Amino acid sequence: MDSSPETQPLPPPPPEPPREPILNLPAALAAYVALLAVIHLRVLLPPDIEYWTIEVFGFIPKRYDATLLATPFAGGSGAKVWSFVTYSLLHANLSHIIFNVLWLLPFGSAVARRFGATRFFLFMAVTAIGGALAHLVTHEHEIAPMIGASASVSGAMAAAIRFAFARGSFLSLRSGDADAAARVPAQPLIRALRDPRVLAFLAIWFGINIIFGVGSIAVGNEGASVAWQAHIGGFFAGLLLFSLFDPVPRSAQTSAHN
């Protein structure tokens, strides 16, 4: 009698590894970018109304002129307060907003993961204020409104370099997953400023801003110009105020070297 070998069941196929999205953005950053995009739809308004939004929500140094020649602007006294932040949510054109978002994606992602939504939004507001203050000091009596998120983007870049080059972080050579890389202990400021990689980053960043002057745009009767001083104000605000927002405790080794 013929015998046949028992049929062995085939093993199940191995599960497919989960596919990572191309842009794995934290929710806070995605919401921030979406907010910028929705607000930019104001360019579809009639030109006179569209410019009215710039005058009300843009940052105008002349608005704070206390002399007898002070110029009244739309928005009244309230605009003197909210425009320190709201200017950073407006952009002149599509290329302006795309440029800022492209710079924000790598650095803002790390900062948003590290800070969480509430701290991230507050941090972006504070760095916008830092940029506005720097612009006000260097452009006293100027009537052209300043708009653009570049001061906040610069602040996010400054915050990122406080932990970006630490071992295991997102710019180190031994980085892990994005969430873990964004939570490595930050370097003390003095120690970070001694890191050759941080110094090289600072040299490149300041060189780009001063030589090429890209980023925030001032829109007004005098045409478009670059508000690079606001970038520097936002950058220093992010660099110096980072520790006030950072929820990640420093390691014992880091504290010992502080």
Side-chain angles (χ1 to χ4, degrees):
M1 182 176 61
D2 294 336
S3 62
S4 59
E6 295 182 2
T7 304
Q8 298 293 330
L10 295 176
E16 294 185 4
R19 296 183 178 180
E20 293 289 337
I22 297 177
L23 289 178
N24 186 19
L25 299 181
L29 179 61
Y32 182 80
V33 172
L35 178 64
L36 296 181
V38 170
I39 291 176
H40 192 62
L41 294 177
R42 64 180 178 76
V43 299
L44 302 178
L45 298 172
D48 55 337
I49 300 178
E50 193 269 339
Y51 188 78
W52 176 85
T53 64
I54 294 178
E55 186 172 326
V56 173
F57 299 105
F59 188 79
I60 307 174
K62 185 71 173 176
R63 202 193 303 271
Y64 305 92
D65 194 337
T67 67
L68 294 177
L69 299 178
T71 304
F73 292 97
S77 299
K80 291 184 177 182
V81 178
W82 64 58
S83 63
F84 271 93
V85 174
T86 55
Y87 83 92
S88 67
L89 304 177
L90 305 174
H91 290 83
N93 48 50
L94 189 60
S95 61
H96 187 203
I97 190 173
I98 289 176
F99 182 88
N100 278 333
V101 168
L102 288 178
W103 274 106
L104 182 62
L105 288 180
F107 300 97
S109 292
V111 174
R113 285 190 175 93
R114 186 180 186 93
F115 285 178
T118 301
R119 284 188 176 93
F120 176 73
F121 286 121
L122 287 175
F123 179 81
M124 297 298 279
V126 167
T127 50
I129 293 172
L133 288 173
H135 186 72
L136 180 61
V137 170
T138 56
H139 293 77
E140 189 178 7
H141 309 306
E142 184 167 320
I143 198 171
M146 178 185 69
I147 59 176
S150 295
S152 295
V153 173
S154 299
M157 295 171 72
I161 66 172
R162 291 291 303 273
F163 62 93
F165 296 104
R167 179 173 296 181
S169 191
F170 75 104
L171 288 184
S172 74
L173 297 178
R174 309 174 80 178
S175 60
D177 66 273
D179 289 330
R183 292 190 174 92
V184 298
Q187 300 184 82
L189 179 58
I190 299 301
R191 185 177 177 184
L193 293 178
R194 294 173 180 169
D195 190 324
R197 298 166 298 178
V198 173
L199 294 177
F201 182 92
L202 291 174
I204 294 172
W205 186 88
F206 277 98
I208 290 175
N209 278 275
I210 293 175
I211 296 175
F212 297 101
V214 289
S216 293
I217 295 177
V219 181
N221 296 330
E222 299 175 4
S225 61
V226 175
W228 58 270
Q229 296 93 338
H231 305 175
I232 295 177
F235 189 91
F236 275 111
L239 190 67
L240 299 175
L241 301 178
F242 168 81
S243 297
L244 298 180
F245 293 86
D246 188 20
V248 180
R250 294 181 182 178
S251 64
Q253 181 179 7
T254 302
S255 300
H257 289 82
N258 194 351

